[in-house]
Structures are given as structure tokens and as C-alpha cells.
Amino acid sequence: MSKIVVRGGRKLHGEVQISSAKNSVLPIIAGCILNGDKCVINNVPMLEDVFVIIDILKSIGAKVDINKIENKVIIDTEDIKDCMPDSELVKKMRASFLIMGPMLCRFGHFKISLPGGCNIGTRPIDLHIKGLSALGAKINVGYGYVEAFAKKLVGSNVYLDFPSVGATENIIMAAVMAEGETIIENAAEEPEIADLGRFLNSMGANIMGIGTDTIRIIGVKSLKGTTYKPISDRIECGTFMIAAAITRSKFKINGVNFEYLKPIIAKLTEAGIYIEPKGNSVIVDGNRELRHIDVKTMPYPGFPTDMQSQITGLLCTVKGTSIITETIFENRFMHAAEMKRMGANIKIDGRSAVVEGISKLTGAKVRATDLRAGAALILCGLAAEGETEVSDIYHVDRGYVNIEEKFKLLGADIERVN
Ligand code: UD1
């Protein structure tokens, strides 16, 4: 199994290019099921999770052409059948659930194994079920699988008790060809949901209010194929911003959308990092006196839970006491035990981590416990004295394109060891 070895302490410099958003591309690929036609998706990040969702679509009959040189994927869903996708693939990631809405909309039925994914909490599916049931589906959660039937989907009002990203996406995709109007209230507002909405509208859907907490969908009769380019990955960009901060370096990050980064930039600026937008790029200067801060994860436009482990790593190196509160997932501090191996002073108190900054982390053998935790440990390794070995790197490969290559281009002493 691959490991990443980092010899820390180097300043980073130069430029790095951000890939498209994994969390946009996954629902967009699932959404291709809806039209029974051909879609061309450009700028696709060639990541493990993307390959898994593509393989899931192939397992039910889609024809997919992946061009890794042009980062382009052509998906033809004409021959998709109403059958159960490969359960071994579905178990690999939670986002497999994103095919529920499209399958239900196109076939009036789906049967899918209960998916896996990062081990960061219980991650129930009650909100997905609530939304799909409101549109008329009869849903049965059996031992290890979930199955739904609907003779006809009819638009409805759905109020989400919590703005779940996946549930919002599934309900939108189920509703696009339902009869009449669907209104989702307390919908999640993440930019990737707006991106999915724009993709579906480019296929002929009629979705309004995307990117707000009230989404209105007027059902249409059919959808057609389209060509689409997803937005850039704000979490990958945030991870590189923290790389600049944790190594007290200055470099340029290209291919970013400043608007979507505001919740991350607000906290980094509060911590003393200088961030300057320049068109589709940002210059990040972390070579400053940094300040300890408190951070609380929240649904968008709050600070993203997917950046929590990375900012925790940074605050381990900033003098003073920082408190990081995780409100989205109940088990998302597994990286703390690994950071402690590197000398970090972190105490977990319920949903909060109390971090006492130290002057220098020390290289150690650590394990990526989930996708973002793995990225955070690489960041800590870049700042640490000596050598850090991050094992179970397959977690990181689910969400970052060539992470060690991108850091190498910035001057880091980093390599992958198989
Ligand atoms: C998506 C992202 C993930 C991110 C998360 C929160 C994708 C592919 N993944 O995951 O990277 O960390 O949003 O921003 O886009 N919940 C329920 N019932 C449900 C659904 C969710 O209680 O039916 C709870 C979850 O357990 C969790 C919280 O809601 O505590 C947030 O989950 P959700 O927004 O659904 O996250 P995902 O869509 O799984």
C-alpha cells in the first residue's frame, strides 16, 4: 500500500494549479443517468472516487470513455438498465447514494447496497428517504440495501431538518422530471449543488434558486445530453492555502473561484495569513506572525468540515490556544491522535479540539484515517522537523489529484513509496 514520505522544513514557492471539484463531479456523473443520452464532462479530476462512480455507472450498463490526457469523460447512459449496481463498488464510498435520485427518476425504481466511505460518523440516510418519499416513492431499507418504487413521481414540498448536501442533490435529481413543482426548503447551499443545478439546467431541467436555501424545480418531460465543465475544487484550494500558512511560505494558486473560498479565506485572514485575489488566482502569504483562532464548522457559507483537519494541523503550529468545534460529523477528530505523534498538543473535549500551539512539529510515522485527515497529516509533515511517513494514502487519493506531484512542483521534499 502506498505511503507518502515528507522531509519537512522547506519553504514552498512558485505556482500550483487546482483541479475541478470532486464534490461537483460525483453528482454530475450520477446525473448523467437521467437523460439516456451522451454527456461530455470536461476538466474531470482523475481521482479514485471519480473512477468508482464511473465504474458504478458501467456496472448498470453505461458506456464511458475516459480521456486521461484531456481530463475528459464521455458518458452514454442510453443502455443503462434498471438493475442493482455492483455492491462491492457501492460500498467503497458514500457518494454512491447519488445514483438513487436519478435511477428513481428515470426508472421509477432502484435497489442499492448501503454505501461506505470515510469513517467520520454514522452518516444516516433519513433525509434522502424523507425527500424521495415526499415525491411519491415507497422506500424499503432492508438488511444491507435500500430499495424504492414509484409508479409516478409528483412534485412536492420538502423541508430538510438539516441542510444535507447529498439529500439536497438526490431530491433535485429525482424531481427534475417529476410531475409539477417541487420546493426544497432548508436546502444545502454548497457551491457544488449550484454546479449540479447548472449542469442539469444545461440538459433542459428547470431548476431555480440554486445556491440558496430554497430550491424550486419545475418537472420537465425529458432531458438531453450536454457538455459541461465543473467548478474548481475549493477544498483542494483551501488545503494549498494552508500549505502556504503551515510552511510560512508565499506562493500562487491558479484556477480558483474566489467567491466560493470566502468562508475559508475569512478564517485564514483572521489567523494573519495574507490572501490576495488576482483574477482566477490567489497569492497566499503565510510568512507572517500568525494568530491563534477559534473555528466552528458549519454548512456553507460556514467554515467547511472538509477543511477542519487541515486547519487543526495549522493551528498546532500557531502560538496560543485555539478551539476547533466540529458540528457536522460526530467522529471527525481521528487525525488528532496522529498529530499528537508529531508532538501536537491537542485535547479532544466532546465535539471540540483544544489546541495549544507549539513552536515545531516533529516528523513521525502516522496514518491517514480518512481523506482530509490524510491531507492534513501531509501538511503537518511539510512543516515538521525531520521525516514524516503518512500511510494508508489511498484515502488521500480519493480526493486529491497527484498531491505529491503538486507539492514537489512547489519545492517540497516529498515522495510516494509503494
Ligand atoms: C457531502 C460531501 C462531503 C462533506 C459533506 C458535508 C460529497 C460527495 N461529499 O457529504 O465531502 O464533508 O457533504 O459538507 O459532496 N445526515 C443525516 N441524514 C441524512 C443525510 C445526512 O443525518 O439523511 C447528516 C450526516 O450524518 C452528517 C450531516 O448530515 O452529520 C452532513 O451530511 P451531508 O451534508 O449529507 O454530507 P454528504 O452529502 O454525505
Side-chain angles (χ1 to χ4, degrees):
M1 235 182 268
S2 290
K3 291 173 186 170
I4 280 185
V5 177
V6 194
R7 281 164 288 271
R10 282 200 188 180
K11 293 267 186 200
L12 304 182
H13 51 83
E15 300 186 14
V16 62
Q17 178 69 31
I18 297 305
S19 302
S20 287
K22 166 181 89 75
N23 287 354
S24 275
V25 172
L26 297 178
I28 283 172
I29 291 178
C32 292
I33 293 174
L34 286 161
N35 58 23
D37 200 352
K38 210 180 254 187
C39 287
V40 180
I41 318 296
N42 289 311
N43 267 36
V44 174
M46 295 293 158
L47 296 167
E48 279 313 306
D49 274 10
V50 171
F51 297 136
V52 171
I53 194 107
I54 287 174
D55 285 343
I56 289 173
L57 259 66
K58 282 173 148 176
S59 80
I60 51 175
K63 292 191 190 78
V64 184
D65 179 26
I66 305 173
N67 183 332
K68 286 191 181 173
I69 294 166
E70 289 179 30
N71 293 329
K72 181 198 278 196
V73 175
I74 302 172
I75 303 174
D76 183 346
T77 60
E78 187 183 357
D79 296 335
I80 281 191
K81 285 175 215 59
D82 171 20
C83 60
M84 195 166 165
D86 186 316
S87 48
E88 287 311 309
L89 292 169
V90 167
K91 282 182 197 151
K92 284 189 174 175
M93 65 168 184
R94 163 127 176 136
S96 309
F97 262 148
L98 294 170
I99 71 164
M100 293 195 303
M103 288 293 277
L104 186 67
C105 186
R106 179 155 164 203
F107 298 109
H109 173 247
F110 67 77
K111 186 172 181 183
I112 178 173
S113 308
L114 292 172
C118 280
N119 187 22
I120 53 178
T122 53
R123 306 184 90 172
I125 57 163
D126 53 313
L127 299 169
H128 299 247
I129 291 177
K130 180 180 172 182
L132 300 180
S133 303
L135 299 178
K138 297 274 171 288
I139 301 183
N140 174 23
V141 183
Y143 181 71
Y145 70 90
V146 47
E147 184 166 23
F149 297 91
K151 278 207 176 92
K152 181 167 91 172
L153 291 173
V154 180
S156 179
N157 280 21
V158 182
Y159 177 85
L160 291 177
D161 303 327
F162 179 86
S164 153
V165 172
T168 303
E169 291 168 340
N170 255 327
I171 300 163
I172 292 173
M173 291 191 277
V176 281
M177 289 187 284
E179 189 180 286
E181 181 183 86
T182 298
I183 294 176
I184 311 172
E185 285 178 280
N186 200 27
E189 298 174 55
E190 269 68 3
E192 295 77 19
I193 298 172
D195 208 24
L196 171 68
R198 283 188 294 272
F199 165 71
L200 296 171
N201 281 346
S202 77
M203 301 200 306
N206 189 356
I207 306 167
M208 288 155 281
I210 45 178
T212 76
D213 67 355
T214 307
I215 298 175
R216 195 163 149 243
I217 305 134
I218 314 276
V220 296
K221 289 266 181 287
S222 63
L223 298 170
K224 58 179 178 7
T226 187
T227 298
Y228 197 76
K229 180 178 161 206
I231 57 171
S232 85
D233 197 316
R234 65 196 163 97
I235 305 300
E236 188 194 12
C237 181
T239 303
F240 278 98
M241 286 176 163
I242 291 192
I246 203 167
T247 58
R248 309 297 192 266
S249 304
K250 179 178 176 182
F251 58 81
K252 191 173 174 195
I253 307 178
N254 297 323
V256 309
N257 187 315
F258 194 74
E259 183 64 28
Y260 304 145
L261 287 164
K262 281 184 178 166
I264 299 171
I265 290 175
K267 286 320 273 186
L268 295 184
T269 305
E270 192 185 323
I273 297 136
Y274 177 74
I275 298 170
E276 185 188 336
K278 270 203 172 356
N280 288 335
S281 302
V282 281
I283 293 173
V284 185
D285 185 356
N287 193 12
R288 288 157 176 258
E289 186 73 29
L290 300 190
R291 295 183 285 272
H292 61 100
I293 53 166
D294 293 341
V295 181
K296 191 176 193 176
T297 64
M298 299 286 274
Y300 189 86
F303 188 84
T305 174
D306 286 351
M307 284 300 300
Q308 184 261 106
S309 36
Q310 300 91 315
I311 204 159
T312 300
L314 169 65
L315 293 171
C316 288
T317 69
V318 178
K319 204 170 146 209
T321 309
S322 299
I323 299 176
I324 301 114
T325 306
E326 172 60 55
T327 75
I328 310 293
F329 292 110
E330 69 277 14
N331 188 24
R332 208 170 194 179
F333 281 125
M334 287 185 295
H335 46 274
E338 302 300 312
M339 288 172 184
K340 278 184 179 176
R341 293 180 203 276
M342 303 179 73
N345 183 351
I346 311 178
K347 286 190 187 68
I348 303 300
D349 182 9
R351 288 207 152 195
S352 294
V354 182
V355 175
E356 204 62 58
I358 57 167
S359 55
K360 205 80 190 141
L361 291 165
T362 310
K365 288 190 176 183
V366 291
R367 189 172 70 86
T369 48
D370 66 64
L371 161 53
R372 305 302 170 186
L377 292 169
I378 294 174
L379 296 176
C380 290
L382 292 169
E385 215 163 62
E387 188 172 284
T388 298
E389 194 179 288
V390 186
S391 61
D392 287 2
I393 216 69
Y394 64 90
H395 284 297
V396 179
D397 292 336
R398 292 184 41 212
Y400 291 88
V401 181
N402 296 334
I403 192 163
E404 76 278 15
E405 292 302 322
K406 290 190 181 184
F407 278 126
K408 232 182 238 172
L409 282 174
L410 288 170
D413 185 353
I414 183 169
E415 63 184 330
R416 181 177 292 252
V417 182
N418 288 310

